[in-house]
Amino acid sequence: MALENRYDFVMLFDVENGNPNGDPDAGNAPRIDAESGYGIVTDVCLKRKIRNYVELVKEGEPGFNILIKPDRPLNAKFAEAYEKEGLPAKNKGKNLDDVKKARDYMCRNYYDVRAFGAVMSTGDDPCGIVRGPVQINFARSISPVDIQDITITRQARTTEDRTKTGETEMGRKSVIPYALYRAEGYVSAALANKSTGLSEEDVELLWTAIENMFENDHSAARGKMCMRKLYVFKHSSVLGNCPSHLLFDRIEVQKKTEVPRSFRDYEVTVDRDMPEGVQLIERL
């Protein structure tokens, strides 16, 4: 067995004077729930930061490649799996045994496939579809967010024609003065054992990546982002000992001031009375 324990987890992270996740449909302004005004950070954004950290610390180490990144087309990576396994190329998935061997190769060699799964059924050398044992929900802010559009001055112009009207031009930057976000996730031992082979070492790397996901990802656009808390619920069994939502409800976050501007303006309450077979691990 790859894993003997199911895990559920809760992340609390914040942003100060930055844009944690731009929305292309809104001029790259911070994502919000239009009905409630609460901020949103997508699961794709969070998994990207985990991938980036794993690639940074495990670069060149066998078994920890990253599939989803803009280095080569995905189909070229699928074709490489066929080549490495000595399988006939360009069979378009006609031989299901070959597809399974190629899929197993991808799981062994790519960390993000083992963790998050992947759709690898495209091209002439398909590697099948893998449902990942690690899943993360959208993060949502604890309080409604206030998006501020700040006008900035650009000192360098891009073309000769634009310099005719002056040496500088105005631009815009959308930021959130402060917001605390909460995201919840799951690690299915059953899926890990059945499909991808995610190991305890991989799970430990996942926690480390979450703890440090913003530390090597700073940028002027994203402002100051910090992972404040990581709570892990470890089940004593593969299938789990308690529904995840009942565990998530044991962590409550309430604001202490009308307009929060720091993590200290929130109070985190943790009910540490766990159901039988569940251990709470406070990583941060």
Side-chain angles (χ1 to χ4, degrees):
M1 268 192 177
L3 287 181
E4 296 181 354
N5 310 94
R6 196 189 91 188
Y7 297 90
D8 302 301
F9 58 96
V10 175
M11 299 179 280
L12 296 178
F13 62 90
D14 59 6
V15 60
E16 181 179 326
N17 294 324
N19 181 351
N21 187 200
D23 185 352
D25 293 325
N28 211 42
R31 295 181 188 271
I32 63 167
D33 179 334
E35 291 184 340
S36 67
Y38 286 84
I40 293 172
V41 175
T42 66
D43 61 316
V44 174
C45 175
L46 297 174
K47 288 190 287 187
R48 177 76 271 153
K49 298 182 190 306
I50 293 172
R51 287 183 170 102
N52 290 346
Y53 179 83
V54 171
E55 183 177 25
L56 185 66
V57 300
K58 294 288 189 178
E59 187 173 10
E61 193 170 325
F64 292 94
N65 295 323
I66 297 298
L67 176 66
I68 306 300
K69 64 177 184 178
D71 58 339
R72 291 188 295 154
L74 292 178
N75 287 353
K77 298 178 183 180
F78 303 155
E80 181 181 70
Y82 276 73
E83 180 184 349
K84 293 292 186 180
E85 291 294 286
L87 303 173
K90 301 185 182 302
N91 69 15
K92 294 186 181 294
K94 295 177 182 178
N95 189 319
L96 297 182
D97 288 337
D98 288 352
V99 173
K100 183 179 184 303
K101 291 176 182 177
R103 184 192 69 194
D104 291 344
Y105 172 89
M106 298 300 291
C107 289
R108 289 194 310 271
N109 286 275
Y110 290 91
Y111 177 84
D112 55 340
V113 177
R114 287 199 302 279
F116 305 130
V119 176
M120 303 177 290
S121 54
T122 60
D124 294 332
D125 305 293
C127 299
I129 299 174
V130 177
R131 184 179 170 195
V134 179
Q135 299 296 330
I136 301 174
N137 297 332
F138 277 25
R140 196 186 79 159
S141 64
I142 303 300
S143 310
V145 299
D146 177 27
I147 298 176
Q148 295 185 3
D149 286 333
I150 299 173
T151 302
I152 57 176
T153 303
R154 184 177 184 182
Q155 291 290 333
R157 293 205 165 187
T158 55
T159 66
E160 291 289 341
D161 289 339
R162 296 177 76 169
T163 60
K164 294 177 182 178
T165 59
E167 295 180 354
T168 63
E169 60 186 358
M170 309 308 290
R172 192 188 71 171
K173 195 173 187 179
S174 294
V175 302
I176 295 174
Y178 182 81
L180 178 64
Y181 289 81
R182 172 176 176 151
E184 298 161 349
Y186 321 84
V187 181
S188 169
L191 266 179
N193 299 338
K194 181 179 180 180
S195 57
T196 72
L198 189 78
S199 66
E200 288 288 353
E201 178 190 4
D202 293 330
V203 173
E204 182 61 31
L205 179 57
L206 172 68
W207 305 141
T208 305
I210 291 174
E211 292 167 2
N212 295 280
M213 60 170 24
F214 302 119
E215 293 306 306
N216 296 282
D217 191 59
H218 296 297
S219 76
R222 283 187 284 275
K224 179 183 176 182
M225 296 192 68
C226 303
M227 182 61 63
R228 294 294 184 174
K229 292 289 183 181
L230 173 58
Y231 300 98
V232 178
F233 299 96
K234 181 178 181 180
H235 299 253
S236 64
S237 65
V238 169
L239 296 179
N241 301 79
C242 178
S244 57
H245 70 278
L246 297 180
L247 299 176
F248 296 153
D249 287 346
R250 282 170 160 75
I251 298 175
E252 295 185 357
V253 185
Q254 300 289 337
K255 65 180 182 179
K256 297 189 290 185
T257 62
E258 187 62 30
V259 183
R261 282 296 182 264
S262 74
F263 183 62
R264 292 186 297 274
D265 293 335
Y266 287 93
E267 180 178 7
V268 182
T269 304
V270 181
D271 180 0
R272 301 183 183 279
D273 184 17
M274 292 293 109
E276 184 177 354
V278 177
Q279 177 188 2
L280 173 61
I281 304 171
E282 190 170 345
R283 298 277 309 199
L284 281 176

